[in-house]
Amino acid sequence: MSIKKLVAGGLSATVLVCISQCVDAANWFKLQDLNPTNVSLFSGFIEPSIFSMAGTEASIYNPQLHRYINAIPHANLVGPNFDQSSTGTIQRARLMIRGWVNPHVSYFFAGEFGNNAATMIRGQYQPQLQDGHVVLSYIPGARLEVGIIRAPSAEDAMNGYMSYNYVVFPTVINQLMLQPLYVSNPGQPYAAGPDGSALISSTQTLGVNAFRYPGVQLFDWKNWGHWQVAYGAMVGMYGSVSAGNQSSHPLYAARLQGSYIFSGHGPFRSDVTAWVWYQNAQPTLMHHSYTMQREGVGFQYLQGYMHPWGRQLKFEYMRGNGWIDAPAAFSQQLGLAPALTQAQLYPNLSNTAAGYYVEGGLFLTKNIEMNLRYDYYDRLSNLAAVGGERIFKTWALALQYHITPITKIMAGYYFRTIEAPNVAPNSPGAIVSKAVDNEFAMQAMISF
């Protein structure tokens, strides 16, 4: 039930591209997958961050010790280490190399050195290659991209880091799309958990891919006056890039979006964009292949970025079947039941989860922006009758100060609730859900 701190910062390659290609700033396929000829060879960004929660404890009974243990749930601790409720950290630190060989061949590589779930492999810090791909633009209407690619999916999984309005991601994307990767076939079988789940310890967790997978993608876009249509279709491998030998399961992903562009002034264009996307993967667990399916639809309205009274409205709905993850509630050193101290993975296709987020933003001045978001995530609704369902609701209030189009300071407060339907009031699920804290987070995005 932890809300994991995010990890996957957006593809910072947009830093200099946004400046030179303002009119296409909402076309993530162009911004992230194709380089302009005048891009700097080296660039990057760092994100110093502060997270603070009350650190409320939950009192859970240990039948072996015949006593209660008071401990702080992961939901009230800062990831990826989950050892403090308030801390300062460098959440993301990325160094990028990008350029072009000729007008038809471009390349991009990025290393991630921050402290997040992407660099936490088997419980140990490990910097990783975040991106690494080559784009061939010889065929009109079908550009070819090969390497480690940001798979087509949800808007907040596609966009560049500058467009983030909050330090903490929506829970629905964080849990449904930022799926932790696990060792497929460990030395000994995973323990069986409740309702057909598998119990997986942190030593068998291979981090997350930050929405990126090795593969091949076809993408392009077409403009007709103010109208634009863009698409991306990818065939890849689902698994951990960092662990190498775990990337052996097929992944299919596609996204189609249409836009009406009002104007191209400023680092983000003014437009209305709607999109639909789909993902299907075939991960394995203990020599058995499963199906993981994700799909979503959404729209966004942007008008006057970094202009007084500039505004934004965004909505996205997404759902998933199979391979639903329920993160561990507590640390494993506490002597609690395995179901509370290990991640519970529900691999069967019958398991479902769905949610949405809606957010709005308003520039009070050229530099100051206020934002409001509501995030809803209903996990394992198919297990409601047996008490396995959890409903996450979060209101987020945020304030941003934009120093430049590519450097800003964000602060936000997150009002969080977790509901556990059909569970006994004194059960661990109910006790942990009632203990969830609100959260304050502050972050600077500094590019170079």
Side-chain angles (χ1 to χ4, degrees):
M1 275 175 263
S2 62
I3 308 278
K4 296 184 181 177
K5 300 301 172 291
L6 259 160
V7 257
L11 184 61
S12 55
T14 58
V15 172
L16 295 173
V17 183
C18 258
I19 298 176
S20 60
Q21 292 181 270
C22 297
V23 72
D24 292 295
N27 181 358
W28 301 116
F29 294 111
K30 182 173 183 179
L31 282 174
Q32 298 174 155
D33 301 320
L34 190 68
N35 299 325
T37 57
N38 61 341
V39 69
S40 297
L41 178 61
F42 296 101
S43 60
F45 68 91
I46 60 173
E47 294 182 2
S49 308
I50 296 173
F51 300 96
S52 181
M53 289 170 277
T56 301
E57 293 184 338
S59 183
I60 305 296
Y61 184 73
N62 184 312
Q64 285 76 34
L65 299 178
H66 302 289
R67 66 179 178 87
Y68 284 88
I69 294 179
N70 295 321
I72 303 175
H74 277 176
N76 298 340
L77 295 169
V78 180
N81 304 100
F82 299 108
D83 55 5
Q84 298 181 75
S85 293
S86 297
T87 189
T89 184
I90 302 296
Q91 187 177 18
R92 304 183 190 98
R94 205 160 301 166
L95 177 64
M96 302 167 290
I97 301 174
R98 67 182 302 161
W100 62 284
V101 178
N102 60 49
H104 301 290
V105 180
S106 64
Y107 58 88
F108 174 61
F109 298 90
E112 174 60 70
F113 302 92
N115 182 33
N116 54 61
T119 56
M120 188 60 65
I121 310 299
R122 292 187 174 91
Q124 302 295 321
Y125 172 76
Q126 178 182 319
Q128 67 163 295
L129 179 66
Q130 190 87 90
D131 299 270
H133 57 251
V134 176
V135 176
L136 307 177
S137 304
Y138 290 100
I139 304 174
R143 304 174 191 270
L144 180 67
E145 183 176 15
V146 181
I148 301 173
I149 303 166
R150 186 187 291 256
S153 65
E155 178 71 5
D156 276 6
M158 293 282 292
N159 60 14
Y161 83 99
M162 289 183 305
S163 65
Y164 293 168
N165 296 320
Y166 306 89
V167 182
V168 178
F169 255 36
T171 303
V172 60
I173 294 179
N174 200 19
Q175 288 204 36
L176 192 59
M177 299 305 300
L178 203 61
Q179 171 65 53
L181 302 165
Y182 302 112
V183 175
S184 298
N185 300 299
Q188 58 185 23
Y190 288 125
D195 306 308
S197 65
L199 300 178
I200 303 177
S201 69
S202 60
T203 58
Q204 304 297 330
T205 301
L206 305 175
V208 299
N209 273 7
F211 313 113
R212 295 148 169 92
Y213 301 93
V216 179
Q217 176 175 248
L218 287 178
F219 72 97
D220 212 342
W221 59 93
K222 179 68 175 179
N223 288 77
W224 295 273
H226 287 277
W227 294 94
Q228 182 187 79
V229 175
Y231 79 92
M234 177 181 175
V235 177
M237 295 182 292
Y238 178 86
S240 172
V241 175
S242 299
N245 61 353
Q246 300 297 325
S247 299
S248 59
H249 319 304
L251 167 78
Y252 309 96
R255 172 172 160 134
L256 177 66
Q257 67 180 53
S259 304
Y260 183 84
I261 306 170
F262 302 121
S263 62
H265 301 294
F268 291 146
R269 72 189 187 191
S270 296
D271 68 356
V272 174
T273 297
W275 57 83
V276 60
W277 57 268
Y278 175 82
Q279 286 189 0
N280 185 289
Q282 302 293 320
T284 62
L285 189 70
M286 298 304 301
H287 303 286
H288 184 83
S289 179
Y290 294 89
T291 295
M292 184 183 81
Q293 184 172 296
R294 304 289 190 264
E295 55 201 1
V297 62
F299 75 90
Q300 181 169 244
Y301 164 70
L302 289 171
Q303 184 77 51
Y305 181 80
M306 282 197 73
H307 287 73
W309 309 116
R311 49 207 178 270
Q312 174 215 28
L313 176 65
K314 180 166 63 172
F315 169 84
E316 187 164 21
Y317 169 84
M318 62 197 74
R319 66 182 302 274
N321 287 83
W323 212 256
I324 305 299
D325 184 73
F330 293 96
S331 297
Q332 292 177 292
Q333 294 78 18
L334 298 174
L336 297 173
L340 292 174
T341 61
Q342 297 179 328
Q344 297 182 46
L345 177 65
Y346 294 79
N348 294 319
L349 189 60
S350 59
N351 295 302
T352 63
Y356 66 89
Y357 65 94
V358 57
E359 67 176 63
L362 180 66
F363 277 90
L364 304 180
T365 69
K366 176 183 177 181
N367 305 101
I368 300 175
E369 181 182 6
M370 294 185 64
N371 304 94
L372 174 66
R373 183 183 76 204
Y374 178 70
D375 171 34
Y376 177 93
Y377 178 54
D378 187 351
R379 190 182 72 199
L380 297 170
S381 55
N382 60 296
L383 299 178
V386 294
E389 182 182 25
R390 297 293 182 270
I391 299 174
F392 301 78
K393 301 177 182 179
T394 304
W395 283 97
L397 297 176
L399 183 67
Q400 302 182 72
Y401 186 83
H402 299 259
I403 301 172
T404 73
I406 56 177
T407 296
K408 63 181 179 180
I409 299 173
M410 298 189 298
Y413 194 82
Y414 303 83
F415 300 88
R416 304 188 300 164
T417 60
I418 302 176
E419 297 177 2
N422 300 322
V423 301
N426 60 344
S427 68
I431 293 171
V432 173
S433 298
K434 291 178 182 178
V436 64
D437 286 333
N438 295 333
E439 181 176 9
F440 172 79
M442 189 171 182
Q443 183 177 87
M445 293 184 175
I446 305 170
S447 61
F448 57 88

